[in-house]
Amino acid sequence: MGLPEERGRSGGGSGVREEAGARSRGRSWSPPPEVSRSAHVPSLQRYRELHRRSLEEPREFWGDIAKEFYWKTPCPGPFLQYNFDMTKGKIFIEWMKGATTNVCYNVLDRIVYEKKLGDKVAFYWEGNEPEETTQITYRELLVQVCHFSNVLRKQGICKGDRVAIYMPMIPELVVAMLACARLGALHSIVFAGFSSESLCERILDSSCSLLITTDAFYRGEKLVNLKELADEALEKCREKGFPVRCCIVVKHLGRAELGTGDSPSQSPPIKRPCPDVQISWNEGVDMWWHELMQEAGDECEPEWCDAEDPLFILYTSGSTGKPKGVVHTVGGYMLYVATTFKYVFDFHAEDVFWCTADIGWITGHSYVTYGPLANGATSVLFEGIPTYPDMSRLWSIVDKYKVTKFYTAPTAIRLLMKFGDEPVTRHSRASLQVLGTVGEPINPEAWLWYHRVVGAQRCPIVDTFWQTETGGHMLTPLPGATPMKPGSATFPFFGVAPAVLNESGEELEGEAEGYLVFKQPWPGIMRTVYGNHERFETTYFKKFPGYYVTGDGCRRDQDGYYWITGRIDDMLNVSGHLLSTAEVESALVEHEAVAEAAVVGHPHPVKGECLYCFVTLCDGHTFSSTLTEELKKQIREKIGPIATPDYIQNAPSLPKTRSGKIMRRVLRKIAQNDHDLGDVSTVADPSVITQLFNHRCLTIQ
Ligand code: WT7
C-alpha cells in the first residue's frame, strides 16, 4: 500500500516522506525481520487474509479457536446470534449459547493435565521491595485455587453469587478471582486505590455476599491500611441496610508472623519493617484467609457454566450517574482474551510476559490473569510502582526475569521519560522483544522514546486501543505484521469491524474523522450493565442504531490507519483511567461550601489529562487554600486518589446556555487561557467568561 518506511530515527533518509503537521503521513516503522520470521502472523498480507476471514466467516473463524479449549458439552445451536439495532428490538449478543465449560478449568486444569505444563511458572511475584519475591507454578496455582474454591463453597458461595475483591497485587488476588470463576460466582474486583465509599457503592450495586481483602500493603513508601478502608465500606453497607456476612482477610504485611508452611501463596515473609498496623476485627464477620485455607480440601470439581453465563463484573465510570457494572461472560471473553494475547503479543512458549497494570482494571483482568494463563504463559505479577525504590525499577525487573514482552501505559512512559535515558540504559533489557501500550493515545514523542530507549530500536510497539467494555484489544498492530506509525493504534484485530460515522450516523469512507463505532460483535464484547440492561442499550447502541458506539473520536488516514482523537462524551482520561466529570462534580457539591461545580480535563505532561475544577461557592463562604485542600480530600475520600484535582478555580458563576447547560467546551478553553473560544453565541451571559478569565490567576493548584 505504498507506505513510506523508515528504519532509522533521523527522519530525513531517502524514501521517507514527511509532511509538516500531517501526522497521518508521518513515518512508519516496519516490523523487524527477526520478529516477523517467527511470528504467528508474519506479514501484513497474512494479517489481511485472516482479518477478512474473521469478518466474513466469524462462526468458522472463532469455532476453530474454540476447539483448543475444553468444553463439557459442545455448542448445541447457533454459534453466534445477536441484535445490534435498537429499532429492531432488545440488544443481545450470544456466542456459543448452550455450550458448557469453566474458565478456571481452561486456564489451570487444562494447562496442567492436557498441556502438561504443571511445573511451568505461572507467575513470578515481585513485591513492593525488590527482595520480596516468590514464584508459583501452574500446578501450585491450581492447588491454591481448589483450596480457596472450597473455602468459598463452605461460606455458601454458589454459582451466580457476587463476590467483591479489594486487594493489592499479590498472588492471593489471582487465586481469589480464579476460585470465583471455578464456582461460577462473579467476581467484582475493586481497585485497591479506590476509596471505601467507592467500594461500598460497588458492593451495594451488585449485592455482593462476601468481601475478600488484605490487612495492609505498601505502595512505594506509602502504607495503605486496606482493612480499615474495607471496614469503613462494610460499615456503610450495614448503615444502608445491606450487611455483608463474611469478610476474608489475607495476612500480607503480617506474613512474617505466619510460619512459611502456613503461607498460602508461598510468598516469603515481607522484609520491610512493618509498623504495627492496627487491624480491627469484627467477630462473626472477619476470617483469616490462612486459617480457612488450612481446613480446606484439595479437590474441587468446577461448576460447569453456560458459555453465556456471566464470568465477572467490573465497574467503569459512566458519563452520567453512578459507575456501570460491565458484565463479561464465560465463553466469549475466554476466547477473546486468549486470542488477542496470543497474536498481539505474538506469544511463544518461552516468553516471560509482563503487564504492569493492576488487576483492579480490565487490563489486569485480561492480560495479567485470563489471557496469559489461557495460553500457559509465564508472567510477572508486580505489587510495586515504577519509581520505587528508584526510577529504574521496571528495567531491573525486566532483567531479573528476562521479560520478553512488556505492556504498560503512556502515563508511565511519560513519567519515566522525565528522568532521562540513564535509568533505562543502566539495565541490559536484551530479553525484550515486543513492547505494548494501552490506556490513552500515546503522543508520538513518548512513542519514539519508548521505541528508541526502552526497546533499543529492536522492538515493535503494539499500541492497543480497547475498553473495559470490549474485554480485549480492538485496534492494534501485530508485532510481526503491521508497519507502525507512532500514535496510531493502526488496524482492527480479528473479528473487529470498525467504522467512522459523521454526526448524522453515515459511514464515512477512506480518509475521515468522526465517531468510532463497531459494526458487528466480537466474542469479548460486554453483554450488559449489571442490573440495568437499559443503560447498556442507551449508552452504547442508542446514538447510532446498528452500531456499538465507543464514545471515542477517531481519524482514519489515507493508508487506513486509525488514530484515536479522544473521548467525545463528558469523560476524562487521567493516567489511562476514565473518570466522569459528573462523579467528580457530585463529590464537590457534597461539600457544604460548594453550590455548583464544573470539571473539565486539562493537559498534563505525565497524566495526559488532569482535573481542572470550577466551583461556585454558597453565600457566606470564602475561597481559600484551606477550602481547596478540603475539597481535594473530599474527592479522594469519595472516589480515590486518582481523581485528586490539580486545579480548583473560584467561579462566581459558570458559563451556561440559555437552557442552563454548563458549557464545558468554554471552560476547557478558560482553563488553558485560550481566548480563541469559537462560537459562544449560545452563552446566556457572556460577561461570565471574562470574569473567569480574570479569575484564572486565583486558581489554586
Ligand atoms: C478508553 C477506555 C482498555 C484498558 C484501559 C482503559 C482510551 C484506551 C487507548 C489507546 C487511545 C485509548 C479510550 C477508551 N484508550 N486505550 N491505545 N489509544 N485511547 O480502559 O478505562 O475502559 O478506558 O481509554 O478513550 O475509550 P477504560
Side-chain angles (χ1 to χ4, degrees), residues 121-422:
V121 171
F123 290 106
Y124 291 113
W125 181 73
E126 168 98 1
N128 187 58
E129 301 297 319
E131 41 317 326
E132 292 164 7
T133 60
T134 188
Q135 59 184 54
I136 185 161
T137 65
Y138 274 86
R139 185 175 293 106
E140 288 164 343
L141 189 55
L142 176 57
V143 169
Q144 297 294 332
V145 169
C146 285
H147 278 176
F148 195 65
S149 303
N150 286 325
V151 167
L152 290 178
R153 256 198 188 135
K154 207 165 164 191
Q155 296 304 321
I157 297 300
C158 300
K159 187 169 169 178
D161 288 349
R162 279 80 54 211
V163 173
I165 301 180
Y166 188 53
M167 289 166 87
M169 290 283 280
I170 56 177
E172 287 88 344
L173 170 53
V174 178
V175 172
M177 68 198 290
L178 293 177
C180 290
R182 197 169 188 86
L183 299 184
L186 288 70
H187 52 71
S188 167
I189 303 184
V190 180
F191 173 54
F194 276 151
S195 65
S196 58
E197 189 105 0
S198 300
L199 174 61
C200 163
E201 186 180 20
R202 286 157 175 74
I203 290 175
L204 294 177
D205 185 76
S206 47
S207 47
C208 296
S209 36
L210 188 144
L211 171 67
I212 309 167
T213 187
T214 306
D215 52 356
F217 66 99
Y218 276 102
R219 238 183 98 72
E221 296 284 352
K222 192 172 157 230
L223 177 68
V224 180
N225 190 337
L226 201 64
K227 175 65 166 56
E228 191 172 276
L229 296 172
D231 285 346
E232 280 171 26
L234 293 188
E235 184 51 40
K236 287 184 183 120
C237 290
R238 245 186 305 274
E239 282 164 15
K240 298 194 172 163
F242 187 82
V244 174
R245 58 185 152 79
C246 173
C247 175
I248 301 178
V249 187
V250 174
K251 194 170 247 188
H252 175 50
L253 274 202
R255 252 182 241 277
E257 299 161 21
L258 304 173
T260 41
D262 293 342
S263 179
S265 67
Q266 292 120 27
S267 308
I270 296 302
K271 298 227 172 67
R272 190 182 170 114
C274 172
D276 273 341
V277 183
Q278 292 301 325
I279 300 286
S280 62
W281 204 251
N282 305 318
E283 283 306 329
V285 174
D286 293 346
M287 281 174 264
W288 283 117
W289 168 294
H290 58 275
E291 289 178 6
L292 297 170
M293 287 291 266
Q294 266 178 348
E295 302 155 11
D298 288 347
E299 302 277 310
C300 180
E301 174 73 6
E303 197 69 46
W304 300 108
C305 301
D306 193 289
E308 278 301 326
D309 278 343
L311 174 65
F312 64 81
I313 305 169
L314 182 60
Y315 285 85
T316 183
S317 295
S319 60
T320 50
K322 52 182 190 169
K324 304 182 287 268
V326 169
V327 175
H328 283 290
T329 51
V330 165
Y333 177 82
M334 174 172 79
L335 246 54
Y336 200 64
V337 295
T339 310
T340 47
F341 177 79
K342 173 177 167 184
Y343 288 102
V344 174
F345 300 111
D346 193 39
F347 171 68
H348 291 272
E350 52 301 342
D351 274 330
V352 177
F353 179 73
W354 184 18
C355 165
T356 65
D358 193 285
I359 289 178
W361 308 105
I362 190 69
T363 310
H365 280 61
S366 300
Y367 302 110
V368 176
T369 303
Y370 291 111
L373 293 179
N375 283 274
T378 296
S379 295
V380 175
L381 180 66
F382 177 44
E383 186 192 20
I385 54 170
T387 50
Y388 178 84
D390 63 43
M391 296 307 152
S392 70
R393 183 71 187 275
L394 298 183
W395 324 118
S396 98
I397 296 175
V398 164
D399 279 2
K400 186 167 175 182
Y401 302 106
K402 304 277 177 289
V403 171
T404 55
K405 315 277 162 83
F406 177 77
Y407 193 30
T408 196
T411 185
I413 299 165
R414 288 192 298 263
L415 172 73
L416 296 174
M417 239 172 105
K418 287 202 307 185
F419 298 95
D421 301 1
E422 193 279 332

